[in-house]
Amino acid sequence: MIIFKCRFSGDEMLSDAFKPVNVKDADGNEVPGLIEIESIKVNKSGGEVDIGCGNEFGGEGGDEVEDTSEAVNNVIDETIGFDLHEVPMGKKDMKQYLAEYCKLLRQKLKDDDKIAGPEVKAFTQSAPLFCKYLLSNYDEYEFFTSASMDPDGSMAFAYYKGESATPTFIFIRAGLLEEKC
């Protein structure tokens, strides 16, 4: 398994268990520098969920419904297991964050001996494209920061695809470090 960590804070952001894929725009073109994952709906109690029909669908009996069923909290695992925290962000704030983040990230990439010059150049060329994409879809997003809530750290941008009941999270790829577990 690969864990993706924030390049600045070291906080875990996601894992390859969520099968990250490249982001595509409305026309189906890949947006360079961005990856996304789909979240899942989880049952916080870890038990079965009774939808009000007893065990009518696959259980024993069907006519008897006990009123001892435990209430469960079905939630979207918005933190995708990595302790992400939702934060408010206006469009102006987002633009300022992206400008500063990309500037700091470019320097961080340049300073890393493991990152080759062409990779830094690729990031520099893709940054305006993914920033434009993210800003153009601002109204669709909810914003999440890592556990340490580092203002210079990586963020996740959550949105809902079509009629999906669970959000999809977008990450800036260059801002993440891969760590094998």
Side-chain angles (χ1 to χ4, degrees), residues 121-143:
K121 185 176 182 179
F123 168 75
T124 303
Q125 292 173 339
S126 67
L129 302 172
F130 69 68
C131 287
K132 181 179 178 181
Y133 174 80
L134 290 170
L135 287 166
S136 70
N137 292 299
Y138 166 80
D139 292 334
E140 304 294 321
Y141 298 135
E142 295 171 1
F143 306 93

Side-chain angles (χ1 to χ4, degrees), residues 11 13 31 58 60 77-78 98 142 145 154 162-163 169 181:
D11 293 338
M13 299 293 290
V31 180
E60 311 92 37
D77 187 6
E78 290 182 338
L98 288 171
E142 295 171 1
T145 187
S154 298
E163 300 296 316
F169 287 85
C181 295

Side-chain angles (χ1 to χ4, degrees), residues 14-35:
L14 69 142
S15 82
D16 67 341
F18 288 93
K19 299 177 179 63
V21 296
N22 295 324
V23 173
K24 296 193 185 230
D25 64 17
D27 297 326
N29 301 312
E30 185 177 312
V31 180
L34 298 178
I35 58 173

Side-chain angles (χ1 to χ4, degrees), residues 7 13 25 29 42 47 63 67 74 77 82 97 102 120 126 129-131 143-144 157 165 167:
R7 191 174 290 277
M13 299 293 290
D25 64 17
N29 301 312
V42 296
D63 296 344
D67 197 21
N74 288 326
D77 187 6
F82 293 99
Y97 165 79
C102 288
V120 176
S126 67
L129 302 172
F130 69 68
C131 287
F143 306 93
F144 291 82
F157 307 91

Side-chain angles (χ1 to χ4, degrees), residues 60-79:
E60 311 92 37
D63 296 344
E64 297 177 27
V65 177
E66 293 182 30
D67 197 21
T68 60
S69 62
E70 180 183 324
V72 294
N73 185 10
N74 288 326
V75 297
I76 295 166
D77 187 6
E78 290 182 338
T79 63

